[in-house]
Amino acid sequence: MNDNNARRVVSVIVVNEASVLSRITDLFSGRGYNITSLTVAPIPESKYSRLTIVTSGSVRVIEQITKQLHKLIPVLRVYEHADLVEKEMAMVKFPANENIADISTLCEVYNGKIVNVGENVIIVMVADEPKRVDNFLKIIKRYNPKEIVRSGAVALER
Amino acid sequence: MQINGAQMVIEALIAEGVDTVFGYPGGAIMNVYDEIYKQKDFKHILTRHEQAAVHAAEGYSKASGKVGVAMITSGPGFTNAVTGLADAYMDSIPLVVISGQVPMSLIGTDAFQEIDAVGISRSCTKHNYLVTCAADLPRVLKEAFHIAATGRPGPVHVDIPKDVTAEIAEFDYSVVLELETYKPHIKGNPRQIKKVMEAIANAKRPLFYLGGGIINANAAYEVRDLVQKTGIPAVETFMARGVLSYDDALLIGMLGMHGSYASNMAMSETDLVIGLGVRFDDRVTGKLTEFAKNASVIHVDIDPASISKLVNADYPIVGDVKNVVNEMLELTAGVESKKYKAWRETVQNFAKLHPLAYHEDTERLKPQWVVQRVGELLGDSANISTDVGQHQMWTGQFYPFTRPRQFISSGGLGTMGFGFPAAMGVKAATPEKISINFTGDGSILMNVQELMTAVGNKLPVINIILNNNYLGMVRQWQTLFYDKRHSQTDLSVQPDFVKLAEAFGGIGYRVKTKEEFDAALKDALEKNIVAFIEVVVHRMENVMPMVPAGGSLFNMMLLEKKGDK
């Protein structure tokens, strides 16, 4: 069953033009595919943007997703990654009265640090593999996080 | 040259060789209609509903092979046209549909007749554009025609705000298109084609599975050659009717839910499916796990996403079916027609066992007879459109089609109300042919206002209304699968179709016998005006054979033998 719903990362290079993101998300919702996360940003010095979509499905579904994406007119390329480096960022807000030293040490383990210290809250960031970010977020529960934001994954093929 | 956006639309249509535009004016598109008034290069046909404008453009496109063009205004004009866009999208019909939009300054303000048109059309077009400045128009319109007609064809929607149609900019239609992200794969992989021909040569019971893509690709005559040369029997989908002539000895018939027994059995027994321009639609395959389960599958299609979408292709070939079939024709040396003799006989025996048939009735005309009779009388000289329902299936089953682009019907979306406006488009494209629309008493009322368009523009479509006082196909399902609870399908209350046609300036007939029908058809052809021939047919006739939805192709409900009741 796991194979039928395996997590997949798909990167899509699209022309950076109006409504291109809706074309992609409409395709997913219209055909009943999942989006776990989606990130998008322009590719420097080009007219293209790169989307990284984390999705899940059977081999056939993933094949359909890549083909259907490719069928969209503004889509230049679709990569369905096999061997990739994947990173995700998360930011967490803690009450300032929590143990800052402990939190700071934890963040370092997950490629992060404290990025803002205010009167009432501190904000930290980590950047790591999505699974490790999951782990980090589990561990820091004991420090009463007030707010959590995740960026969604970005990936590059090795 | 420096011209305004509205003039650009006209110039682009002329440059694309458009001779007929179907449309309906309104506030946001008025600048363009003002330019239409001033020009003489193409004809504008005013329909009486935007949906009909798009269906007419579809009919025009299907009959002519050219890109159909429809023009509508913003808001309700556009939303009325959406069904047409969706219909064209499902059946891969190349259209350019141009809509007006509120001025740029009003977009997003819930202005009068404003709707997010590109947001709505996104999922039912091949591509769409909101044009934000006149300088973009030449490129956008050129791209629109190019994208509509190439690759897997489809509708392209261009939404133009009113101020953009007034804005002046440089118009140069010789712009070279740079579509880095759109390059349809036309040529099939030669090595794969070779492998396919080997697989055919090695097969014992191969079967051509011919689809509508062959007609889109203008490849019917190449396919006829290939079928002849190989001696392999063929089944057609509903959308492929006319690829082979009805009297081709190798044509088994139409397959699918209402396909012939022989076609469906052939598909169940074959060891090699040769799919050309098909998409394994659920109305064709029935239960997927049982579909052609003894067979390897060759699938040739221009759309990579169609391949292995539903049925795994052992031999996928992405390419234009005309190209690929031409290459296949070069490699038929190893294929021996006589090797399939036993297989052909098997198929012929299927056909003898349960031929496509119906039982005559002494009291009322049978709808199948009407279709057959028109086939006998008009045959090749008519182009045939249909609406959606039982009459549509009977037409697919019983009309003797002789050529591609003869049959125009809404296959994928199944749009009631398609037939009449589509038949007007067919007549506009091919005035030398008779234009017949087989329709039902339900469907015809869904675009009946087009009587006015047809009369006004002298498009003498003959609508043959097979009247059973039911929404027949739904009634059939209710009879068979809902224990005869005929919920909301009884159409006993009806207009006087004769008077209705006459009220618009057409001619109407109501016939109950074979003699009356022949006389009415003859008279309508002689008078050469828009006609309704209402044929009172048997109320409870079912379309048979039938594969119940989700059932296996080989498990058909068959026509009861006479006396079975």
Side-chain angles (χ1 to χ4, degrees):
Chain A
M1 284 308 281
N2 260 351
D3 256 23
N4 263 338
N5 228 348
R7 179 180 181 277
R8 294 294 166 123
V9 181
V10 179
S11 292
V12 192
I13 314 293
V14 299
V15 178
N16 188 4
E17 62 180 23
S19 79
V20 66
L21 187 58
S22 325
R23 291 186 202 282
I24 307 267
T25 54
D26 279 9
L27 190 156
F28 274 76
S29 61
R31 293 189 181 266
Y33 309 140
N34 297 315
I35 298 181
T36 309
S37 78
L38 184 156
T39 64
V40 54
I43 298 172
E45 284 156 47
S46 83
K47 58 176 183 176
Y48 297 106
S49 283
R50 182 177 180 118
L51 290 90
T52 310
I53 303 171
V54 179
T55 180
S56 58
S58 63
V59 174
R60 173 165 286 180
V61 166
I62 299 294
E63 189 184 318
Q64 262 298 302
I65 290 176
T66 57
K67 283 177 172 177
Q68 293 290 349
L69 281 169
H70 210 267
K71 216 168 131 176
L72 296 174
I73 309 293
V75 169
L76 179 70
R77 231 169 268 140
V78 183
Y79 305 101
E80 197 242 310
H81 299 290
D83 186 17
L84 48 80
V85 178
E86 210 185 326
K87 293 290 174 195
E88 183 175 7
M89 198 181 108
M91 294 206 287
V92 186
K93 202 185 264 180
F94 295 100
N97 57 8
E98 289 295 332
N99 186 334
I100 297 182
D102 279 11
I103 292 172
S104 175
T105 312
L106 259 178
C107 287
E108 279 167 31
V109 178
Y110 291 92
N111 286 320
K113 59 185 178 187
I114 295 172
V115 289
N116 186 273
V117 181
E119 233 172 87
N120 301 316
V121 294
I122 61 167
I123 298 174
V124 307
M125 60 81 62
V126 295
D128 216 323
E129 281 145 38
K131 263 198 176 151
R132 285 181 50 84
V133 173
D134 287 347
N135 216 17
F136 171 77
L137 295 175
K138 216 187 282 169
I139 293 165
I140 51 99
K141 269 188 188 155
R142 71 181 81 146
Y143 302 107
N144 302 307
K146 289 161 76 92
E147 240 182 299
I148 296 170
V149 55
R150 295 181 73 151
S151 66
V154 290
L156 278 179
E157 200 136 35
R158 271 182 232 270
Chain B
M1 68 186 153
Q2 295 276 323
I3 53 175
N4 70 31
Q7 290 162 331
M8 288 184 185
V9 172
I10 307 302
E11 292 298 327
L13 294 181
I14 293 169
E16 293 290 346
V18 173
D19 57 27
T20 311
V21 172
F22 302 89
Y24 204 108
I29 193 81
M30 279 183 73
N31 290 337
V32 180
Y33 270 88
D34 194 43
E35 296 302 328
I36 287 178
Y37 185 88
K38 296 176 194 164
Q39 62 79 42
K40 286 202 162 57
D41 291 273
F42 59 83
K43 195 160 77 177
H44 179 278
I45 293 180
L46 172 69
T47 57
R48 292 304 189 273
H49 192 289
E50 289 88 351
Q51 182 192 353
V54 184
H55 290 329
E58 289 181 82
Y60 177 90
S61 173
K62 287 210 80 168
S64 67
K66 291 161 61 172
V67 176
V69 180
M71 200 172 291
I72 56 202
T73 193
S74 66
F78 168 74
T79 54
N80 278 345
V82 169
T83 302
L85 286 172
D87 191 89
Y89 187 54
M90 288 291 273
D91 284 347
S92 306
I93 301 173
L95 298 185
V96 171
V97 175
I98 298 168
S99 61
Q101 181 55 278
V102 301
M104 290 288 290
S105 57
L106 289 180
I107 286 182
T109 66
D110 304 314
F112 177 65
Q113 295 195 329
E114 182 190 359
I115 197 75
D116 174 14
V118 286
I120 291 173
S121 70
R122 196 172 293 133
S123 59
C124 57
T125 51
K126 184 173 175 186
H127 197 47
N128 63 10
Y129 298 87
L130 171 63
V131 186
T132 54
C133 62
D136 284 349
L137 257 177
R139 175 186 58 83
V140 166
L141 289 167
K142 199 164 182 178
E143 280 183 17
F145 276 91
H146 176 68
I147 289 171
T150 53
R152 179 175 178 177
V156 178
H157 168 217
V158 182
D159 197 34
I160 314 177
K162 190 169 186 179
D163 51 346
V164 174
T165 60
E167 190 189 343
I168 289 172
E170 175 64 21
F171 180 83
D172 179 6
Y173 209 68
S174 65
V175 281
V176 180
L177 294 181
E178 289 171 49
L179 287 165
E180 216 180 328
T181 60
Y182 175 72
K183 286 173 183 149
H185 207 85
I186 303 296
K187 199 178 171 320
N189 180 319
R191 254 190 305 167
Q192 189 75 339
I193 294 172
K194 229 174 149 184
K195 267 207 246 169
V196 157
M197 293 316 287
E198 281 164 19
I200 294 174
N202 290 328
K204 291 192 179 72
R205 301 183 304 279
L207 180 70
F208 279 109
Y209 162 31
L210 309 176
I214 295 166
I215 295 173
N216 286 339
N218 293 316
Y221 293 97
E222 288 78 2
V223 168
R224 287 182 181 194
D225 285 351
L226 187 63
V227 171
Q228 274 319 312
K229 249 182 157 173
T230 55
I232 295 170
V235 293
E236 285 178 349
T237 67
F238 178 75
M239 297 307 284
R241 295 310 254 161
V243 168
L244 301 185
S245 182
Y246 76 102
D247 53 1
D248 191 316
L250 289 164
L251 174 63
I252 308 170
M254 179 172 85
L255 87 163
M257 181 174 272
H258 293 297
S260 67
Y261 174 82
S263 303
N264 288 344
M265 288 310 290
M267 187 52 92
S268 303
E269 295 290 318
T270 177
D271 65 349
L272 181 69
V273 174
I274 311 165
L276 305 177
V278 291
R279 61 186 185 89
F280 296 86
D281 179 78
D282 57 278
R283 286 296 192 266
V284 164
T285 61
K287 190 176 181 183
L288 273 174
T289 50
E290 305 272 342
F291 176 76
K293 65 175 177 182
N294 305 314
S296 301
V297 173
I298 296 167
H299 190 182
V300 181
D301 205 281
I302 195 144
D303 177 9
S306 270
I307 293 176
S308 295
K309 178 173 70 175
L310 294 157
V311 170
N312 192 49
D314 303 281
Y315 304 91
I317 296 181
V318 178
D320 180 81
V321 75
K322 187 168 190 153
N323 266 297
V324 175
V325 169
N326 274 327
E327 303 245 335
M328 288 168 83
L329 279 166
E330 301 289 313
L331 298 169
T332 50
V335 183
E336 286 178 78
S337 171
K338 60 173 185 280
K339 192 180 148 193
Y340 313 123
K341 188 163 175 280
W343 168 231
R344 286 192 293 264
E345 282 167 8
T346 306
V347 171
Q348 279 156 10
N349 286 335
F350 287 143
K352 270 181 215 148
L353 193 60
H354 295 288
L356 200 57
Y358 61 94
H359 301 310
E360 291 271 17
D361 185 272
T362 46
E363 280 170 31
R364 283 206 177 180
L365 283 180
K366 282 297 181 84
Q368 299 94 327
W369 176 85
V370 180
V371 174
Q372 261 183 343
R373 184 66 182 154
V374 176
E376 282 165 23
L377 294 173
L378 304 183
D380 185 69
S381 65
N383 284 329
I384 304 297
S385 312
T386 76
D387 264 302
V388 170
Q390 288 184 312
H391 68 270
Q392 179 189 30
M393 290 301 117
W394 286 318
T395 308
Q397 289 177 330
F398 287 98
Y399 197 89
F401 296 103
T402 43
R403 57 191 159 82
R405 301 195 182 280
Q406 184 181 14
F407 182 43
I408 283 86
S409 189
S410 168
L413 196 67
T415 309
M416 289 171 70
F418 171 88
F420 187 13
M424 297 190 314
V426 171
K427 188 69 188 173
T430 53
E432 73 285 0
K433 297 276 182 199
I434 298 161
S435 184
I436 301 282
N437 176 39
F438 284 106
T439 179
D441 47 312
S443 286
I444 189 64
L445 288 183
M446 284 212 187
N447 264 321
V448 77
Q449 77 286 342
E450 294 312 312
L451 272 166
M452 205 66 266
T453 311
V455 168
N457 290 281
K458 298 199 167 56
L459 297 168
V461 173
I462 298 176
N463 293 278
I464 300 174
I465 306 170
L466 301 176
N467 189 355
N468 54 12
N469 289 84
Y470 271 125
L471 288 176
M473 188 58 96
V474 182
R475 195 278 309 149
Q476 175 170 340
W477 284 47
Q478 289 169 335
T479 303
L480 297 173
F481 312 121
Y482 289 83
D483 210 12
K484 299 184 184 163
R485 290 184 299 278
H486 295 155
S487 176
Q488 302 295 315
T489 44
D490 190 317
L491 300 183
S492 289
V493 180
Q494 279 187 339
D496 181 327
F497 285 110
V498 176
K499 281 187 189 157
L500 184 60
E502 285 170 0
F504 283 88
I507 188 162
Y509 311 84
R510 179 178 163 89
V511 302
K512 291 180 165 178
T513 66
K514 292 180 177 179
E515 295 70 29
E516 285 172 1
F517 178 77
D518 282 5
L521 184 61
K522 185 161 174 277
D523 192 58
L525 287 168
E526 276 167 11
K527 293 218 165 73
N528 201 31
I529 57 170
V530 186
F532 273 7
I533 303 178
E534 178 197 354
V535 190
V536 179
V537 296
H538 199 283
R539 284 202 82 190
M540 298 305 283
E541 187 69 8
N542 289 337
V543 183
M544 287 294 159
M546 178 175 193
V547 179
S552 309
L553 279 191
F554 50 82
N555 270 334
M556 280 162 275
M557 304 168 82
L558 295 164
L559 181 72
E560 286 174 8
K561 292 250 156 77
K562 249 195 167 159
D564 274 4
K565 287 175 202 169

